[in-house]
Amino acid sequence: MNGALHRLVQVPPGVQCFVGEEARQRRRIEEIVLSVFEGWDYEEIIPPLFDYADVFSSPDLLSRTYSFVGRDGSLLALRPDFTSLLAKIAAGRLAPREPPIRLYYSGEVLRYEPPKAGRQSELHQMGLEHLGGIPPAADAEILAVAGECLERVGATGWVLALGHVGVFHGLVRQAGLDPARVEALRERVEAKDPAGAAAALDGGGTSGEIRDALVGLASLAGRRSVLDEARRLMKACPEAAGAVEDLRSVVDALAEAGLSDHVAIDLGEVRGLDYYTGLVFRAYAAGLGFEVGAGGRYDGLLARFGRPMPAVGFMLGLDRVALLLERQSAVPAPAALDVEAVGGDSLGAALAEARRRRAAGARIRFGKATR
Amino acid sequence: MSLTVALSKGRLLAGAERLFSVASLPFPDEPGRRLVVPMDGLRFLFVKDMDVPTYVEYGVADVGIAGRDTLLETGADVYEPLDLGFGRCRLVVARPRGTASAPAASRRVATKYPRVAGLHFRERGVSVEIVRLAGSVELAPGLGLADCIVDVVETGRTLEENGLEIVDEVASSSARLIVNRASYHARRDEVARLIDRLRGGAARAARAEAAS
C-alpha cells in the first residue's frame, strides 16, 4: 500500500472502532446497565461533548484533557469525565430542583492516557451521581445499584472493595506530615507495602499509635473483620475512627441486604485524595486484572459551582464490562432472529413485501431472494 | 482454578526456589524450555524479569516475584505486600574512575532503566540524553557511547573491572512479592493463604541466613 493510503486507514492509538457483533454486544450491556439505573429512579442526562476547560480543572484531569481554543477565543475541552459536568448542571440549570437529585449518564469521555492495562484515550462510561444524599443511606444505595448492574450483566465473582479516605486524611492530619512525605506514604499504602510505608515515615517524627495506624493501613484489607482491627488501630485518632464507623454502617447495611460475599474492605484505597471526601470503592471481578468500575463520595465538588451539596457516585467502564464478560464467557445472548431475504419480480413488489414482513417484526435483508 | 505465579528465569530464580521450598510450596524442579508449568495447585509462568510486573498488572498472573528495580522501571500498578529479602542490589549512577564532573547539560546516560534514569536526573534538574541498552551497559562509557550509566550492582565487581566508580545511588532493590489488584480482592482467600505462607517462608529464610 502506498504511504499516504496506509496512514489513512490506520487508527490512532487509544481509540477504538466496533463493528457488528462487538457493537451489538456493547449495546446490550449498556441497555442492561441503564435499565438498572432507571429502575432505581435515576434520570438520564445527556451533557455536551465539550465545555469550558475550567469546568474540568481537577488537578488529576488537567494534564489529561484534550483542550482547544474555540472560535471566540475561549479555552474549551473535550469532556474527560461526566462528574464535573453533572455538578455544573445541578448547580446551574437544575438549581431550582430540590435535592436529592439522582442523575445518570452513558457516553464517551476523552482523556490523554498512554494505552495500558485496559485504559484507552476514548472510553465509554456508564455512571450515576446521587446529589444531595448523605451517608450512610446514599452510599449504601449507590453500592447496591453498582452491585445490581454487575449481577444483571451476568458477571460472577465480583467484589466491591470499599475504603474511606477519612481514615488516611485523619491520621495524616494528626501526624502533621508535610506534603512530600504524605505523597510518599500514600504511594506505599496504595501499593499495600507496610515495610515501604514504615520507611516513608522514618525521620518524620511520627511515632506510637499514629505511626502504627498509618503503617497498618497498608494491610487493612479483606473481610468485614478488618473493620474491628481498624477500630482498635485508630483509637488515638477520632477523625480516622469516625471514618471507620461511617464505613461500618454502610457495610452492615449491605451485609443485611445479602451482599456480604460481594463486599471487601480496603482501607489502603487512597487514590484521588484531593477529590474524594468519604467512601471510595472499586469494583473488581475474577478474570479481569483491573477494576471494572469505581466511585466514591466527593462532598466538596459542588461548592466549586456555587451550590454546596454532598454527592456520591460511581461509573462502570463499558469496555471493561465487555472484556470481563468475554473473559468469564458470560456474554449476553444475541436476539434470536433469523434474517429473511426479501426479493420480488419488480423493485416495487420487493419493497412492498419487505415492508409487509418488517411490519410483522421480521429481520430482513433486502435484495434478490437467495433461496 | 489455581493461582498463577509469574517468575523470572533470571537473577531471582534461585532465591524464589529457596523461598518456595522453605515455605513448603511446590516449585518446578527444572523448568527447562517450558514457560507454563502447572504443579500441585499452582501454575507457574516463566518470563523475562522485566516482564513479570506486566503479567501481574494485567492479571495474566495473580502473583509474581519481581525486583523493586523492575517495578520502578515498569511503573506497574500492582500491590507489593512483601519484601522477600533476597536479590538485594542497588541502582546506581556510575562513571569512569577519575573523570572530572562533566558539564551537566551534555551528559549522556546508558541504561536498561530509561524511566528510572530519566526521572532521577529530571528530579535534579539535570537534562540528559538516555541511551537505552538491553545489556552490557558497563561497556558503554569505555567505548564512548555514554558519559555515565545507571545500572544495578550487587557487589560492584563488574563496575570495577570496567573502570567505573559509583557516584550516586538511585534506589535500593530487593525481590518483592507482587499481587494483581483484582486477584487480591476477588480471590481473597487463596491469595491471602499464599501471602501468609510466603511471609512465613521469607521470615524463616531470613533467620536461617542470619544464623549461618
Side-chain angles (χ1 to χ4, degrees), chain A residues 166-167 169-172 174 210 233-242:
Chain A
V167 182
H169 268 159
L171 290 169
V172 162
Q174 194 155 331
I210 296 295
L233 264 173
M234 304 305 156
K235 268 197 189 118
C237 178
E239 189 181 343

Side-chain angles (χ1 to χ4, degrees), chain A residues 116-117 188 190-194 222-223 264 266 271 282 284 286 288-289 291, chain B residues 57-59 68 74-75 77 79-81 176 180-182 184-186 188-189:
Chain A
K116 185 188 168 192
R188 286 295 89 197
E190 181 67 48
K192 304 215 181 300
D193 173 8
R223 295 184 179 285
D266 185 4
R271 276 173 231 233
R282 288 176 180 245
Y284 294 104
L288 191 68
E291 66 273 14
Chain B
E57 179 176 27
Y58 279 73
R68 179 90 182 109
T74 55
D77 191 0
Y79 293 144
E80 304 166 38
R176 305 294 165 103
N180 173 263
R181 291 193 291 124
Y184 188 94
H185 297 288
R188 178 172 53 201
D189 295 342

